[in-house]
Amino acid sequence: MQVIELSHHIGGELVAGEALLAQYNPADATDLKVAIPVADAALVAKAVASAEEAFGRFRDQGIEARSDALARVASLINAQSDELARLIARETGKTLGDAKGEVGRAARIFSFFAGEALRIVGERLESTRNGAMVEIEYAPKGVIGQITPWNFPIAIPAWKIAPALAFGNTVVWKPSELSSATGAALMAIIAKAGVMPGAVNMVLGAGETGAAICSHPGVDALSFTGSVATGKKVRMAAAERGVAVQTEMGGVNALLVLKDCDLNSAVETALNGAFLAAGQRCTATSRIIVEEAIADAFVERLSLRISEHRLGDPLDTGTHIGPLASKGQKELISRQSAAMERHPGAQLVFGGSAEALPECFFAPTLFDHAKATDPIAQEEIFGPVAAVFRVADYEAGLAMVNDSRFGLSAGLCTGSLRYSEHFKRYARAGMLMINLPTAGIDYHVPFGGVGASSYGAREQGRAAKAFYTHTRTTYLKA
Ligand code: ADP
């Protein structure tokens, strides 16, 4: 078994600590153990002090130096793509193909923000007071606290760290305890690329370390991606101190399938959204809402396609679906699936909690005839579990799409321009997918939802500027 011993990374130095947490390869616990030290409040304070100390120097290094550094991070990620993808597969259970895609995307995010660093456009207006001028500038916020999850262990850190640096901020970052080795590999690349020491500081640990970042008075803004419950704690901590916060959480995302769709491509759309990446994407489809007229044919075809998907070792290129990320996730998903199986009404069509699979594997699971009162209709199941809800027509389907306190991503499969235009206007979600899976997003456009899914300014694309800068208005008279 390979053991990877991790260290924190503060002010350009590795800081060792007693390994109190461990993550194992979820497909084979005898293959890899990641030993993780835990940063306490005192160590978090050191990381914040390092970010505060670096802030002025980093900002004043200028946009070209920042842009060049981000571009170097992008090329180093690409240069180490195979090795990073293997590490992600072994640490989180993501299939090698998905992991490679994610690594490429992380590199592209750094490239995109290398460009954005050069385009921090302000405005200059005439003052209403004759002879005076007004300038509007976008200045860095300061020290950004960033807390990331394990499901996109390199892309989510990239879409938080790259814009923070592009706009001149410094960072204290905590990766998830389930993906800290990938986090440390990214941190090593950031250091090797010559990003100024102290501009990015990585502390390892779990909830208490995250909470210490949130409550530290030196942290000027908080960016979080993870669960609904933790997101609320992060927002409360930010409100207490009066600092900016953005929290990206889950969704109970719906795909509405109309009878005028291309059935085969709608099935592929549902299959991809619900089951790939073992359903561990916050934009994954869990509610598949199908017009009754085609529901039998749809369920039959979808079940067949699920059965053709191979569950297996993420490192094996023939594998379509890997394991869940940890034993804890497997227990949680098994409990949630079992609750659905017991619930009156919904019928188990495929998979289910009774399938005794080794390690952290959980079978792709499909329910049919689900109702709005079923647990899966209201609470996120972060695994390969989805349910078909049958509806009479588009109007009933749209009402069901919107019957959720979440609103991250919503999809529609249809051949009709009329329905797609209506859906774009009335579906309640931050991201709308017409004839595309609810999961799978671009890196150059805003990401985020409404309702319980997201809070605060949008992430990614040019929208990232709103969170990572503050607006400064200067009045001048010669
Ligand atoms: P998940 O495990 O489903 O990704 P979590 O919200 O538990 O969701 O974890 C997301 C990130 O938040 C992880 O890095 C985790 O360590 C961190 N975290 C957990 N609890 C807290 C907390 N109370 N305050 C700040 N961060 C936390």
Side-chain angles (χ1 to χ4, degrees), residues 98-186:
D98 280 353
K100 275 199 180 139
E102 187 190 336
V103 170
R105 173 177 172 164
R108 288 197 167 93
I109 292 167
F110 275 97
S111 297
F112 177 86
F113 283 106
E116 286 302 279
L118 304 178
R119 285 189 286 267
I120 310 174
V121 179
E123 288 175 74
R124 185 173 150 99
L125 298 80
E126 272 188 48
S127 166
T128 54
R129 282 167 274 181
N130 240 355
M133 299 299 295
V134 187
E135 285 173 5
I136 303 168
E137 287 172 283
Y138 297 94
K141 276 206 167 101
V143 176
I144 315 287
Q146 303 187 326
I147 296 168
T148 55
W150 47 264
N151 64 328
F152 286 94
I154 190 163
I156 294 179
W159 80 55
K160 293 188 193 296
I161 294 169
L165 298 179
F167 295 112
N169 304 280
T170 56
V171 170
V172 175
W173 164 46
K174 190 193 85 63
S176 167
E177 57 276 30
L178 303 185
S179 61
S180 298
T182 305
L186 175 62

Side-chain angles (χ1 to χ4, degrees), residues 255-258 261-276 285 288 290 294-309 366 386 388 412-414 435-438:
L255 176 72
L256 175 54
V257 181
L258 300 185
C261 73
D262 176 314
L263 188 76
N264 285 349
S265 80
V267 165
E268 295 310 306
T269 301
L271 182 77
N272 177 317
F275 300 109
L276 295 195
T285 310
I288 309 171
V290 186
I294 56 158
D296 285 342
F298 181 90
V299 170
E300 190 182 326
R301 170 102 197 136
L302 180 58
S303 308
L304 173 73
R305 290 290 293 128
I306 298 172
S307 71
E308 289 167 359
H309 275 60
L366 182 69
V388 170
L412 175 70
C413 292
T414 184
N435 293 318
L436 287 166
T438 58

